[in-house]
Amino acid sequence: MRRKAKAGFVLAGLLIGIATVVGLISLIEAMTQDINHKLEKYGANILIVPQTENLSLTYGGLSLGGVSFEMEEIEQKELGNIQDIRNAANIAAVGPIVLGVVTVSGHKGLLAGIDFEATKILKPWWKVEGSVPEEAGLLLGSEVARIAGLSVGDTVTILNRDFVVSGVIQPTGSQDDQLLFGRLKTVQAVLGKEGRISMAEVSALCRDCPIDAMVKQIADALSGAKVMAIQQVVKGRMATLGQFKQFSYGVSSVIVFIGSLVVLVTMMGSVRERTQEIGIFRAIGFRRSHVMKIVLLEAVVISALAGILGYLVGYLATKGALHIFEGDRGIPVSFNLELAGWALGIAVGVGLISSIYPALIAARLDPNDALRAV
Amino acid sequence: MSYILAKDLVKHYGKGDGIVEAVRGMSFTIDSGEFIAVMGESGAGKSTVLSIMGAMNAPTSGQYAVDGIDVYKLKRERRADFRREFLGFVFQSFHLIPYLTVMENVALPLAIVKARAKEKERMAEEALARVGMADKADRLPGQISGGEKERVAIARAIVNEPPVLMADEPTGNLDSKTSRNVMDLLKKLNREGMTVVMVTHSHECAGYAGRVLHMADGRLQEACAG
């Protein structure tokens, strides 16, 4: 231990390696969590639509034939069954939608009754000019407002009921631009569809939950509905995270390999330098196994220290890096006891394995030759 | 019966035309409690004989036994145990470990002995006291003189009280006054019952021995009483 230079070199080599691996894994873990968090907030990923024997009459957003398909509905109370599925805890929001064709200022349009609370989670990208409507209010898609010449504060009559335009959604580039939105209960009443909905959107927090399993659970809970996962979102998310992880593990393996070479070369040099010392040990009665133990114990102590310090350095470096790149909004990095355990285990494992050969060389030194080698 | 028995010891190094015959058939006996000096010119084979006697260098042929134990019939690891239990070594260039204190150097052979830490500490302190170095226990080898290093080396050799002390040119690196002190110390240990075998060039040092083995060209020349 008091051979500071060599011990310091092994310590530094392993520490840098472990710190880099910890930093990389912590960074990717933090980014993964952040991406997940953002993706989870990124709206619906499961659609619930009525079972139908008809084919859709839309293609690429173009409606052929005036209506996309003959409207069928789901009983709204059935949606309550979703709260009883096994993975219910993974559901962030369920947004029921009732749809009906109406005429606004002489133009035919689609009126959607929605739950605005759920919509905050399902469509976080909506930017509303004005406010979310109260019971007798309407929220207009940007195209509806433009074509019908309506703005906030205007009154429109739909199916003999007056509505005040409380807000207009800024262009989203989606079908939402073409729709009028009202409170679910109000629209159900206006359309004469009390207790029924046309479809529902679900946002599932599925970082760890199997989306296919959730789809099946929801389908089982809703007998008259067809449940579909928006697979691209889910699979794309998983693939990206998978690639991130593979990359980090690949880089980590290379770093650990280089670390083990540093330990091997340094320990070999150390054994060569200590030939005389080992000769003394052997001459005064140390067995080969005692010499091996001395070399390996030294390696284990240095490696363990490198593992602990490496984790702390990597953890603090990640915190610092994220603070610099992300500022106050920084992605939180928490102390990961499991990763710390792995760092310690890998450091000690690498130190020990890389020192076995030098320890064998040391143990096999002939005491007579070793003492003459001075 | 003799305590140490060497019979027809032969040691060759190398092979074929490059073969070196360092020891060419040496037989001698040493009784328990004797002080033996091995003398001879450089290249006479003294150090080879000492390394054979130190259980560190197997002879090409011949027999070597201590206390009835045929040393080179022991397995390698048992031979290490034999060195620890029967022999104490004092090397010409001290061979102290520079980053260990005087006390730690002396206690080194005890590191692999099963005993309580307190007991080991007591043994090391006692060995240091016997060589008059108790007051410098905390110094590093670089902080003491050559004579003091030799004393520490002797303390390390006797710390686990082996019956035989082997010294290779113990005064080779010392001035004459310090050499005398070291030789007085070896004589004292011998009087206390330790068998001492010493390789030396110095006739003055050999004068401390009870018997001198003269070597020339790998052979024993004659046995002289001291």
Side-chain angles (χ1 to χ4, degrees), chain A residues 17-344:
Chain A
I18 294 292
T20 311
V21 170
V22 167
L24 202 62
I25 289 176
S26 297
L27 196 65
I28 283 170
E29 195 63 32
M31 284 170 70
T32 302
Q33 280 184 16
D34 188 55
I35 289 169
N36 264 314
H37 189 60
K38 283 174 181 162
L39 286 175
E40 277 157 6
K41 285 206 288 186
Y42 197 67
N45 47 21
I46 296 175
L47 277 182
I48 301 169
V49 295
Q51 287 278 18
T52 177
E53 296 305 315
N54 298 321
L55 294 172
S56 171
L57 300 179
T58 64
Y59 183 80
L62 285 175
S63 176
L64 309 171
V67 286
S68 57
F69 53 77
E70 195 179 322
M71 291 279 242
E72 291 186 37
E73 276 124 21
I74 307 167
E75 287 296 319
Q76 190 184 344
K77 63 174 188 243
E78 272 198 54
L79 281 187
N81 297 346
I82 294 177
Q83 301 307 326
D84 299 329
I85 67 167
R86 196 155 56 82
N87 282 103
N90 294 102
I91 290 172
V94 178
I97 302 171
V98 65
L99 294 168
V101 180
V102 293
T103 306
V104 185
S105 308
H107 299 278
K108 269 200 168 183
L110 206 53
L111 175 64
I114 58 173
D115 175 346
F116 284 98
E117 282 305 306
T119 305
K120 275 186 199 165
I121 298 169
L122 293 164
K123 294 178 177 176
W125 55 87
W126 273 12
K127 286 193 176 125
V128 176
E129 241 174 74
S131 63
V132 171
E134 295 301 320
E135 200 175 331
L138 272 186
L139 186 65
L140 304 183
S142 59
E143 279 299 289
V144 178
R146 186 181 65 79
I147 292 167
L150 294 169
S151 56
V152 177
D154 292 347
T155 303
V156 285
T157 305
I158 296 171
L159 297 172
N160 302 321
R161 183 160 174 176
D162 287 342
F163 287 90
V164 177
V165 176
S166 67
V168 175
I169 305 165
Q170 286 183 7
T172 61
S174 74
Q175 205 174 352
D176 296 345
D177 295 345
Q178 322 276 339
L179 265 60
L180 301 92
F181 296 94
R183 292 215 161 255
L184 181 65
K185 273 208 159 173
T186 313
V187 176
Q188 280 172 331
V190 168
L191 297 175
K193 296 183 178 181
E194 282 94 343
R196 287 175 291 154
I197 56 165
S198 310
M199 60 183 287
E201 291 175 330
V202 177
S203 174
L205 308 172
C206 64
R207 184 184 345 149
D208 302 314
C209 69
I211 194 77
D212 290 335
M214 285 197 63
V215 165
K216 191 171 181 316
Q217 287 170 27
I218 295 172
D220 290 344
L222 306 174
S223 53
K226 189 171 147 193
V227 185
M228 299 171 291
I230 303 174
Q231 293 284 352
Q232 289 96 323
V233 175
V234 179
K235 285 189 175 164
R237 178 190 307 187
M238 293 307 176
T240 309
L241 297 183
Q243 281 168 356
F244 258 131
K245 277 194 176 158
Q246 276 179 356
F247 172 74
S248 73
Y249 292 152
V251 172
S252 299
S253 307
V254 172
I255 291 168
V256 167
F257 179 66
I258 293 169
S260 66
L261 285 182
V262 168
V263 177
L264 176 69
V265 170
T266 314
M267 292 303 277
M268 284 298 287
S270 175
V271 165
R272 245 192 308 277
E273 260 182 28
R274 297 166 76 175
T275 300
Q276 181 199 347
E277 191 180 311
I278 293 162
I280 296 167
F281 288 152
R282 298 281 284 131
I284 63 177
F286 279 53
R287 287 180 162 203
R288 284 181 166 190
S289 55
H290 293 130
V291 174
M292 272 202 83
K293 270 186 203 162
I294 290 171
V295 177
L296 293 180
L297 184 68
E298 191 170 302
V300 165
V301 171
I302 296 172
S303 306
L305 198 61
I308 294 166
L309 292 178
Y311 177 76
L312 290 176
V313 171
Y315 168 71
L316 293 175
T318 308
K319 257 195 137 149
L322 287 173
H323 184 74
I324 291 167
F325 295 137
E326 299 283 327
D328 290 338
R329 193 197 73 75
I331 304 164
V333 188
S334 50
F335 191 86
N336 185 339
L337 205 62
E338 193 187 339
L339 185 58
W342 274 106
L344 182 63

Side-chain angles (χ1 to χ4, degrees), chain A residues 2 276-277 282 285 287, chain B residues 81 83-84 95 99 104:
Chain A
R2 275 173 258 179
Q276 181 199 347
E277 191 180 311
R282 298 281 284 131
R287 287 180 162 203
Chain B
D81 298 341
R83 283 196 291 273
R84 186 169 67 244
H95 285 339
Y99 54 84
E104 287 166 339

